[in-house]
Amino acid sequence: MAQSSKLVEEMVAQFLSRLPSKALIRFKCIRKSWYNLINSPSFVAQNRFNSMNNKFTSSTCIITKHTVLKDSSIIDRNEISDILGYGNNDKKQTLLSSLTLCDNLDGDDQELYCIIEDDLIVPFPLCRNSYNFYIVGHCDGIICLSSFLCDDRDIALCNPSIKEFNHLPKSCIHLPTKDEDDYVHQCHVGFGYDSKAKVYKVVRIVDFSSSHRPRVEVYTLGADCWREIKTFVLGNICCQRSLHTHFKGVYYWSGFSYITTELQLVLFAFDMSDELFYLVYPPEAAFGSDWNLAVWKESLLLITHREEAPKCFDLWLNEDSDFLKGSWTKYFTIKPIEVDIPLVFWKSNEILMVNVDRRIVSYNLDTQTLKCLPIHGAEDPICIYAINYVNSIISVKRNNKLGCVETYI
């Protein structure tokens, strides 16, 4: 009888681990044993594994960050720029929208089939300046949000699936104001997963106005405090938002290095496990172009383009297992199209982009055609973000003691 009861419990656990996060949050309330099971690190890891390896769905979950006008009746192309501005405004709000994308079964050549699952309103203080607020990175259903304002409360971790926000604690580095001689010039933030320690980390680089080297601090989910690390950043990191990404435990920023006698365009790579910076060199053809970093086909991708409209986009793939070598191959060129910024690949042959009308569109590499999504971003295109998203039940609360999440195999 005991063996039969244990078998039933294992079957229930297997069944529950395949459910989406919204259902699991409700099922926590059914019985105490389910509550303890769903909160256990092993269950969280298995649920994450099942979500990432679900081969029975042809849809893709996307999270977009965009600003909308609260009252749609006031939308007027002549008034949009005045309404939006770059500061706080009670006529607009910043959203993280969860979308499910899939091929249009009706064969519509103009629009992509899209279901808006949920809208999450970004809380204060991050929402106070939409232009400076951006998605830093994402991993296993956790999204890191930040701004360039360098305030202590301007970094947060978020899990949209369970609607949790965690505004990170005060910096361990003294952040002088502009009234002081050596004020903070810029802050650069990265987020990723340390596979050795099995924890999620946020790294912040504080760049001062003086000639002093930048200082670096790391926040570990579960420890709930910052700690300064002694490492060197050999150069200046660019503040442009499209020039950063997380891939396989390494966070990348674009910037300029002083390692040679001349300034050289490089990628700064921060390894989340050893907490050291490395330099990765881009292809020579990328010099003089605008960049975007992305992940495509389990490889790091560099997208280059010129400012001239309509724009052509070159896709450079780094397929080397050693990320430091920077061995790039031009894989594809997107013909001239009326778009401003590439966002993210949601399929191997489909990339989301922002067009000149502030609409999110999907470009098919095979057919070389564009389809619109029924979602708008009422702001400058460079402030619109999109990421591939995997639903998870990993908590980001500051008092969460389960900051370490085992990898399920």
Side-chain angles (χ1 to χ4, degrees):
M1 181 66 71
Q3 185 175 2
S4 175
S5 177
K6 183 178 180 181
L7 180 61
V8 172
E9 291 178 2
E10 291 177 354
M11 292 176 63
V12 169
Q14 285 292 329
F15 170 76
L16 291 177
S17 70
R18 286 169 168 77
L19 295 180
S21 54
K22 290 182 180 179
L24 291 174
I25 297 302
R26 294 196 297 268
F27 286 176
K28 278 185 178 184
C29 304
I30 294 179
R31 54 195 306 180
K32 185 176 180 180
S33 61
W34 286 15
Y35 178 88
N36 294 332
L37 171 67
I38 293 171
N39 282 338
S40 67
S42 59
F43 181 89
V44 171
Q46 184 166 354
N47 177 257
R48 179 187 64 174
F49 177 84
N50 291 338
S51 297
M52 296 177 63
N53 294 275
N54 187 355
K55 302 182 185 303
F56 298 100
T57 177
S58 59
S59 61
T60 302
C61 184
I62 296 289
I63 296 287
T64 66
K65 173 260 170 182
H66 57 130
T67 297
V68 298
L69 305 179
K70 292 181 180 179
D71 183 359
S72 59
S73 63
I74 66 174
I75 294 179
D76 186 301
R77 293 189 65 85
N78 296 325
E79 298 179 1
I80 281 180
S81 59
D82 294 332
I83 293 171
L84 291 176
Y86 291 143
N88 191 22
N89 193 309
D90 59 4
K91 293 183 179 180
K92 63 181 181 178
Q93 62 186 12
T94 302
L95 301 177
L96 294 178
S97 296
S98 175
L99 316 174
T100 297
L101 306 181
C102 58
D103 294 325
N104 196 331
L105 300 179
D106 296 332
D108 191 331
D109 293 333
Q110 301 299 320
E111 285 206 355
L112 188 71
Y113 186 67
C114 171
I115 301 174
I116 301 177
E117 302 285 357
D118 206 357
D119 286 329
L120 184 62
I121 299 175
V122 177
F124 186 85
L126 283 168
C127 64
R128 68 185 174 186
N129 193 319
S130 175
Y131 184 75
N132 281 312
F133 154 61
Y134 68 111
I135 296 177
V136 171
H138 62 100
C139 186
D140 299 336
I142 302 176
I143 298 175
C144 184
L145 312 171
S146 183
S147 79
F148 288 100
L149 300 179
C150 295
D151 289 346
D152 282 326
R153 299 287 290 173
D154 278 344
I155 303 179
L157 295 178
C158 167
N159 185 333
S161 296
I162 55 179
K163 291 182 166 55
E164 280 190 2
F165 273 92
N166 169 10
H167 291 276
L168 300 196
K170 184 178 178 62
S171 169
C172 69
I173 298 175
H174 171 62
L175 302 179
T177 66
K178 288 197 174 184
D179 296 331
E180 301 180 49
D181 293 335
D182 189 20
Y183 63 87
V184 175
H185 177 57
Q186 287 179 346
C187 287
H188 307 281
V189 179
F191 171 71
Y193 183 67
D194 177 351
S195 59
K196 293 182 180 178
K198 297 182 175 61
V199 292
Y200 299 94
K201 294 179 178 179
V202 180
V203 56
R204 172 161 52 184
I205 305 163
V206 183
D207 190 6
F208 297 92
S209 60
S210 69
S211 58
H212 299 153
R213 289 186 181 275
R215 296 172 67 181
V216 183
E217 59 183 347
V218 173
Y219 172 90
T220 301
L221 180 59
D224 195 36
C225 63
W226 292 94
R227 55 185 171 83
E228 187 171 2
I229 61 174
K230 301 300 180 182
T231 186
F232 295 101
V233 185
L234 299 176
N236 288 340
I237 293 175
C238 292
C239 61
Q240 190 171 337
R241 301 148 177 90
S242 60
L243 301 180
H244 54 75
T245 194
H246 169 260
F247 180 56
K248 291 185 176 180
V250 179
Y251 198 89
Y252 297 87
W253 298 267
S254 173
F256 298 90
S257 173
Y258 301 111
I259 202 165
T260 61
T261 55
E262 298 180 357
L263 280 177
Q264 191 163 359
L265 198 60
V266 297
L267 294 178
F268 293 94
F270 180 80
D271 191 303
M272 291 288 171
S273 295
D274 64 22
E275 297 185 350
L276 295 175
F277 285 91
Y278 302 91
L279 297 182
V280 180
Y281 296 94
E284 292 185 6
F287 290 80
S289 302
D290 288 333
W291 291 12
N292 290 80
L293 283 171
V295 175
W296 186 42
K297 294 185 175 182
E298 292 301 309
S299 298
L300 189 66
L301 182 74
L302 188 65
I303 305 174
T304 62
H305 64 90
R306 304 281 181 173
E307 277 300 320
E308 296 83 6
K311 295 180 180 178
C312 292
F313 297 87
D314 291 327
L315 277 56
W316 299 84
L317 206 59
N318 186 348
E319 298 179 282
D320 204 305
S321 58
D322 184 352
F323 67 87
L324 295 178
K325 291 184 178 179
S327 178
W328 303 92
T329 302
K330 185 195 268 192
Y331 187 86
F332 191 84
T333 297
I334 297 176
K335 68 178 184 179
I337 51 177
E338 295 289 343
V339 297
D340 274 329
I341 295 174
L343 295 176
V344 65
F345 279 91
W346 68 277
K347 291 172 62 176
S348 61
N349 64 340
E350 292 270 354
I351 180 173
L352 296 184
M353 311 177 96
V354 182
N355 69 7
V356 293
D357 294 325
R358 297 188 174 98
R359 292 203 64 177
I360 299 178
V361 297
S362 181
Y363 179 83
N364 187 290
L365 300 184
D366 297 332
T367 62
Q368 300 184 30
T369 56
L370 288 171
K371 289 187 177 182
C372 293
L373 272 66
I375 183 170
H376 293 259
E379 60 182 328
D380 192 305
I382 67 171
C383 300
I384 301 173
Y385 292 84
I387 60 171
N388 284 303
Y389 185 73
V390 176
N391 287 279
S392 78
I393 55 173
I394 301 174
S395 176
V396 297
K397 290 183 178 179
R398 293 179 63 174
N399 60 356
N400 175 31
K401 300 303 181 183
L402 300 177
C404 299
V405 178
E406 295 288 339
T407 301
Y408 179 77
I409 300 176

